[in-house]
Amino acid sequence: MDQNCVLALLAGGSGWLSGEEMSRALGVTRAAVWKQITQLRQAGWPIESSTRLGYRLSGPPPCLSASYLNALLPPDGLFSGKIQTIASVDSTNTRLKALAAAGAPEGTVLLAEEQTAGRGTRGRSFSSPRGQGLYLSVLLRPKVSLEELLTLTGWAAVAFRDGIQAACGAGVGIKWLNDLYLGNGKLCGILTELSLLGESGEPDYVVIGAGINLTQNQSDFQAQGLDGIATSLALEGFTPERHHLAACVLTALGDMVRAFPARQEDYLARYRAHCITLGRQVSFQENGQTLVAAALDVSDHFALVVGYPDGTRRTLSSGSIAML
């Protein structure tokens, strides 16, 4: 028996659990249960005890816990039992891609307290300070065509938006293609990476990662050079507990996987409804030049349709834009 077994019992219980119940469920003595409870308390876990009632959790864990998060998810869900947590990692996407190449199953989730080399799109870095955000990546192995797979970033933006709103009610907007905004600042960045089978060129796996800013204040962003660029849920008046937020996000991602790709019209309509880029002037780089156009629509494949002053239109399938 290890501490995770004890945590799984406590997290999954709806109230008090007696030492006798726990020892019977775990197949150990009550003294062994008491020893693990004592160690967990010393590590900061909020475990209450009563001589008549037993033990119970009185609050969330002091650090990320796979056992606690598993207890918040449906036992038969895609991610159940496949969650891993780590104190520090260069990038959750990088680490999970290595696990995927080694054969990790679909639904594997990796969460980290911090990323020392968090990555965004086009080689950009993503600030991931310890304990101040939710940094996670999920592994999927969808059996679809490459063309369908290339729309998955748009689907993921809808899913992460849904998960954040379910957790705390924040009205998050989507900035094309893969950023989430709250107020006037960037709240979340999403990075989708895929691998193809060398022999056939067919999709092998997809890793979807995201970093959601939770508790940073203005001085934190100033120190990171992100003042006026980024925001956090706390700065905007929202304070969800990390495991609750992660559970809501994973639930939304599970819904997305079940819907993909059959319900594209539904996800596309929701993407368009919450896309804050539409109706704005945007700038983007092309052949070393900065071009300016109006964001008119999101295409059926989640590309951005822009219009120039002379009335011509074009479609941007990838890249980075700035809203003016």
Side-chain angles (χ1 to χ4, degrees), residues 12-319:
S14 57
W16 294 94
L17 284 172
S18 70
E20 182 178 350
E21 289 174 313
M22 296 182 69
S23 65
R24 186 167 57 248
L26 297 169
V28 298
T29 64
R30 292 179 64 177
V33 171
W34 177 84
K35 180 180 178 180
Q36 295 295 337
I37 293 287
T38 300
Q39 292 177 355
L40 286 167
R41 281 174 166 165
Q42 291 172 346
W45 279 78
I47 301 174
E48 288 184 309
S49 63
S50 167
T51 54
R52 293 183 299 104
L53 300 173
Y55 306 100
R56 71 174 181 183
L57 285 175
S58 60
C63 57
L64 288 171
S65 165
S67 298
Y68 188 86
L69 180 53
N70 265 317
L72 301 180
L73 296 172
D76 57 349
L78 173 64
F79 306 111
S80 180
K82 290 177 279 189
I83 297 172
Q84 302 179 29
T85 60
I86 191 168
S88 182
V89 70
D90 53 354
S91 158
T92 56
N93 261 37
T94 299
R95 180 67 61 89
L96 192 53
K97 285 196 299 180
L99 294 175
E106 180 175 47
T108 300
V109 181
L110 179 64
L111 301 97
E113 291 282 355
E114 70 171 352
Q115 296 182 116
T116 58
R119 297 187 293 113
T121 56
R122 304 175 74 84
R124 295 185 178 91
S125 63
F126 185 88
S127 179
S128 313
R130 176 176 291 271
Q132 291 193 302
L134 181 66
Y135 318 119
L136 66 84
S137 296
V138 301
L139 169 61
L140 305 178
R141 297 185 184 273
K143 304 301 182 184
V144 299
S145 69
L146 180 58
E147 182 180 8
E148 290 171 319
L149 206 54
L150 292 176
T151 69
L152 196 54
T153 296
W155 286 68
V158 173
F160 276 99
R161 183 200 174 278
D162 288 351
I164 295 170
Q165 185 173 52
C168 62
V172 177
I174 302 171
K175 174 184 174 288
W176 188 86
L177 170 65
N178 58 341
D179 290 333
L180 301 184
Y181 270 56
L182 188 57
N184 294 315
K186 179 176 175 178
L187 177 73
C188 169
I190 301 166
L191 178 62
T192 304
E193 299 182 282
L194 62 90
S195 176
L196 304 178
L197 294 170
E199 299 81 1
S200 64
E202 296 177 347
D204 182 15
Y205 65 80
V206 181
V207 170
I208 304 175
I212 304 172
N213 297 327
L214 287 182
T215 62
Q216 294 95 326
N217 56 36
Q218 208 68 49
S219 61
D220 292 324
F221 288 129
Q222 288 172 350
Q224 297 161 15
L226 297 172
D227 189 30
I229 299 173
T231 191
S232 69
L233 286 171
L235 269 177
E236 304 295 336
F238 301 95
T239 56
E241 193 275 321
R242 274 192 303 175
H243 294 83
H244 175 60
L245 176 61
C248 289
V249 165
L250 290 175
T251 297
L253 287 170
D255 292 342
M256 180 199 77
V257 172
R258 286 189 293 273
F260 183 78
R263 287 177 50 197
Q264 171 132 329
E265 288 188 8
D266 174 28
Y267 275 74
L268 187 59
R270 288 153 64 189
Y271 189 100
R272 286 170 172 153
H274 299 293
C275 183
I276 61 174
T277 308
L278 297 182
R280 300 277 296 270
Q281 293 290 113
V282 298
S283 66
F284 52 94
Q285 295 291 317
E286 185 177 84
N287 299 323
Q289 290 184 311
T290 300
L291 302 180
V292 176
L296 303 177
D297 196 7
V298 174
S299 78
D300 290 347
H301 293 90
F302 292 91
L304 184 66
V305 180
V306 299
Y308 295 105
D310 64 3
T312 60
R313 295 187 176 197
R314 66 167 296 185
T315 300
L316 306 178
S317 298
S318 61

